DNA sequence: CGATATTTTGACCCGGCTCAACCCAAGTGG
DNA sequence: CCACTTGGGTTGAGCCGGGTCAAAATATCG
């Protein structure tokens, strides 16, 4: 947490907006909260922004705060002594970062895009959590969702080919992007890949070269179209799903 | 669930034992329950046994019961259309099988040893769950533990070599076995590997041939000793940890 | 004892890693 | 304005860890 903490006032807009108006109000940890409970959270929350690449928490470090992703993407990663790295979770807006009752983080959390978090201090959050079944219920739900996603990812990491890994990941992103705009994954203007090739490789258990080659492969096969390295369109979502090797639609958080 | 349901009375012993005397009383879902709450569970629980290889629930199937592993080991596995299989979790005694609120299972659950489960019907369990914060709290804890274990496994599946995978798995089993008898992982009489080579391969994202070769390799390197294919001793736990490639002790449930 | 799993071992091959070069866009400073 | 750097990204050549295929060796069990 040694980095710059200039709060970037202009693009954050209303730095301290009211919970009731929050974009993630109905998907985040506060989903089931009553107006009264929301007011309690409102009183103790604070926002914090991070630059791309900036570390949010380091593995083994004791964290004194936790909260929700409001904007941006956060990667949770584990590293072996010799530097091999595996990303074990990507956190999108409304996902909850930091674990109740576990003060020390078992992984790094790094901002992969500009990130804005809605945070609580650990002490305050746990006090409210104990008195608020609506929070606890939602926390359990979200944890179960993460567990499901983690297990889907275990199948991907353990058994899928490089091509299938890439296709699966792109299918998830395409579906996500389409869902946010109520479109089908095939027609929209495409979506932005918010990660570098390195971050993708870390997430999929591959190297950057293989990621690059497989993306090129999918492009040459006509399954995806690239405006540039980070902007992808999916002309045929079913073809992409097929390349992903899944039986049905690929599951994941959300 | 087409299989034999003969309850195997002799080796199950007291088929319906009192919760207070249960071997997993202080580790399972009921850990925090008061005597009164325990009595409620006691009234509605029932036991069921499964033979090795017997399917407990099939992926996509709607489950009408859920509960704790009392004896034996259960494997949770996912399968791709072409048959590639990945085990996403091993459930040992005290682990909870079946997810509250998710009626349909996203994976197969198969008994890999003789298994005895302490079960509740879904409807009854969820009713009690809603009225019993002690249960809900423990359920959240256990879910967080499973999530941690799943993420450790993602690192293993995505980034570890075959040798490291085997060493990691054996280290976990050795530590487990030692903990159950208050010994250090290096001195005990060794432990039994409760899985076939195929089940190990499914869990580690390998093939049975590679599993066999790497176990042989570790034996020839003097890191482990084999009485037979299923009985393993660890003369030097640190050497095993070293072969596992972890920085510290390999985490996992428990 | 044959019959059927499970495990081991061997020979070979290939998907994805390694190493290395190159491309391209965006700074940066003279 | 250009020379230089820097951080992504792509492409190529070669290699090797672990998969595949095949067969032998060992349990396990009627």
């Amino acid at each position: 947490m040694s980095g710059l903490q200039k709060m970037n006032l202009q693009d954050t807009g209303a730095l301290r907006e009211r919970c009731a108006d929050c974009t993630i109000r109905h998907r985040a940890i506060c989903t089931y909260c009553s107006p009264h409970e929301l007011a309690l959270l409102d009183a103790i929350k604070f926002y914090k922004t991070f630059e791309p690449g900036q570390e949010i928490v380091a593995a083994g470090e004791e964290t004194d705060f936790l909260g929700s992703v409001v904007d941006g993407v956060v990667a949770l990663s584990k590293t072996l002594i010799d530097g091999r790295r595996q990303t074990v979770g990507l956190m999108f807006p409304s996902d909850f970062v930091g674990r109740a009752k576990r003060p020390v983080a078992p992984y790094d959390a790094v901002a992969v895009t500009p990130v804005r978090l809605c945070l609580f201090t650990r002490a305050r959050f746990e006090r409210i959590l104990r008195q608020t079944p609506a929070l606890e219920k939602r926390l359990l739900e979200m944890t179960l969702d993460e567990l499901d996603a983690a297990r889907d990812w275990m199948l991907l990491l353990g058994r899928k080919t490089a091509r299938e890994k890439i296709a699966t990941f792109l299918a998830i992103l395409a579906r996500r992007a389409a869902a946010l705009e109520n479109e089908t994954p095939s027609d929209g203007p495409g979506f932005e890949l918010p990660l570098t090739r390195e971050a993708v490789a870390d997430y999929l258990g591959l190297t950057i070269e293989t990621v690059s080659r497989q993306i090129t492969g999918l492009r040459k096969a006509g399954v995806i179209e690239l405006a540039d390295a980070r902007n992808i369109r999916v002309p045929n979502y079913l073809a992409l799903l097929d390349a992903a090797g899944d039986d049905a639609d690929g599951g994941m958080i959300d």
Side-chain angles (χ1 to χ4, degrees), chain A:
Chain A
M1 216 55 46
S2 52
L4 33 165
Q5 305 192 5
K6 53 172 177 179
M7 284 274 187
N8 212 345
L9 285 170
Q10 62 281 17
D11 76 14
T12 310
L15 226 182
R16 201 156 190 317
E17 56 198 332
R18 295 170 46 226
C19 283
D21 303 331
C22 180
T23 51
I24 59 172
R25 164 72 177 91
H26 300 288
R27 292 182 294 146
I29 187 78
C30 47
T31 297
Y32 300 136
C33 284
S34 67
H36 170 64
E37 292 165 337
L38 211 56
L40 290 178
L41 293 178
D42 218 337
I44 64 167
K45 80 183 182 196
F46 60 97
Y47 290 95
K48 193 159 178 180
T49 62
F50 298 85
E51 307 295 320
Q54 196 181 347
E55 190 166 73
I56 297 172
V57 291
E61 185 181 82
E62 189 152 340
T63 57
D64 48 345
F65 53 82
L66 66 193
S68 303
V69 177
V70 180
D71 294 304
V73 181
V74 175
L76 312 180
S77 313
K78 290 178 166 257
T79 312
L80 296 172
I81 8 54
D82 61 6
R84 280 172 289 171
R85 169 180 299 267
Q86 176 66 50
T87 294
V88 297
L90 273 193
M91 311 304 266
F92 289 95
S94 82
D95 287 336
F96 192 76
V97 176
R99 296 115 42 77
K101 293 163 186 173
R102 316 271 144 127
V104 355
Y107 36 67
D108 302 317
V110 177
V112 300
T113 66
V115 163
R116 190 160 57 112
L117 300 181
C118 168
L119 295 172
F120 313 99
T121 64
R122 173 175 299 280
R124 282 179 177 161
F125 181 77
E126 293 194 343
R127 191 170 337 116
I128 291 200
L129 185 60
R130 245 169 286 139
Q131 304 158 356
T132 314
L135 275 183
E136 209 154 38
K137 177 184 173 190
R138 182 65 183 141
L139 186 56
L140 176 57
E141 266 185 22
M142 294 176 80
T143 306
L144 284 169
D145 284 342
E146 282 194 85
L147 184 56
D148 282 349
R151 284 172 166 165
D152 282 341
W153 222 245
M154 288 171 62
L155 175 61
L156 175 144
L157 292 173
R159 294 303 187 191
K160 287 192 176 180
T161 65
R163 175 68 64 102
E164 289 169 338
K165 287 177 176 180
I166 296 282
T168 302
F169 183 46
L170 294 182
I172 289 170
L173 290 180
R175 194 160 58 86
R176 239 195 87 80
L180 289 179
E181 320 191 16
N182 287 327
E183 290 170 337
T184 76
S186 281
D187 49 24
F191 60 91
E192 211 213 2
L193 183 63
L195 307 179
T196 66
R197 295 292 187 263
E198 184 178 28
V200 174
D202 285 346
Y203 195 30
L204 299 179
L206 298 171
T207 59
I208 52 175
E209 295 95 330
T210 300
V211 170
S212 179
R213 275 188 258 266
Q214 294 302 335
I215 288 180
T216 302
L218 286 172
R219 179 174 56 73
K220 287 186 177 167
V223 180
I224 59 174
E225 293 166 4
L226 296 188
D228 63 63
R230 298 287 194 91
N231 274 292
I232 301 180
R233 234 184 62 79
V234 177
N236 184 351
Y237 185 60
L238 289 180
L240 185 57
L241 276 188
D242 188 56
D246 277 321
D247 38 3
D249 198 333
M252 202 188 170
I253 313 179
D254 243 323

